[in-house]
Amino acid sequence: LCFPQKLWKILESDQFRSIWWSKGGQCVAINEVLFSEEVLGRVFATQKMASFIRQLNIYGFTKVQPDFQRSASLPEFLAEETAASAHCKVLYYYNPSFNREHPQLLEQCKRRVAIKRK
């Protein structure tokens, strides 16, 4: 299987707690610490998170920030900040051709071709 197909397969399996569909199946959410222990080296050939992220980028995934709505009151704001910091090791990646609701788009998820420099 190529990288996007393998990624899809682990997202659809219930074997892993470190990676899941987010934002209605439009983004991939990855708990960086748990993913390194649970998936890297077992499913993907690399054991380095940086190499996995490089593959995401090569296949057109972009890192996105989660949308946190902030409250106006200071106590609520501080509580939300604490909750957000607990998610700081969760990475979110988006690719328009990688959507849970539209598996047929997976065919369009191709490896980018490097441009040769002179």
Side-chain angles (χ1 to χ4, degrees):
L1 296 175
C2 68
F3 179 81
Q5 293 170 331
K6 197 178 289 190
L7 183 61
W8 186 282
K9 188 174 180 177
I10 66 170
L11 280 162
E12 289 297 308
S13 87
D14 57 355
Q15 279 185 280
F16 305 103
R17 297 176 300 128
S18 60
I19 186 168
W20 62 93
W21 289 105
S22 178
K23 296 187 182 191
Q26 295 180 346
C27 290
V28 177
I30 304 166
N31 178 317
E32 188 175 359
V33 175
L34 188 56
F35 186 79
S36 294
E37 298 168 2
E38 188 179 58
V39 179
L40 295 182
R42 276 184 54 199
V43 178
F44 294 100
T46 185
Q47 294 195 11
K48 295 181 182 178
M49 193 65 188
S51 297
F52 176 79
I53 291 171
R54 190 174 305 113
Q55 284 294 308
L56 287 171
N57 293 329
I58 287 171
Y59 280 93
F61 286 83
T62 54
K63 187 174 183 182
V64 293
Q65 297 300 318
D67 295 333
F68 289 110
Q69 299 296 323
R70 301 292 187 206
S71 297
S73 74
L74 182 60
E76 288 178 3
F77 178 82
L78 292 174
E80 290 166 356
E81 282 296 309
T82 303
S85 68
H87 287 82
C88 68
K89 288 296 180 182
V90 176
L91 307 173
Y92 297 89
Y93 283 88
Y94 169 77
N95 181 323
S97 298
F98 199 87
N99 187 310
R100 185 178 200 176
E101 301 301 316
H102 303 284
Q104 70 278 8
L105 293 176
L106 191 57
E107 297 172 8
Q108 297 174 16
C109 199
K110 302 274 188 212
R111 185 179 178 96
R112 291 183 182 171
V113 179
I115 299 171
K116 292 183 181 180
R117 296 182 185 171
K118 290 184 178 182

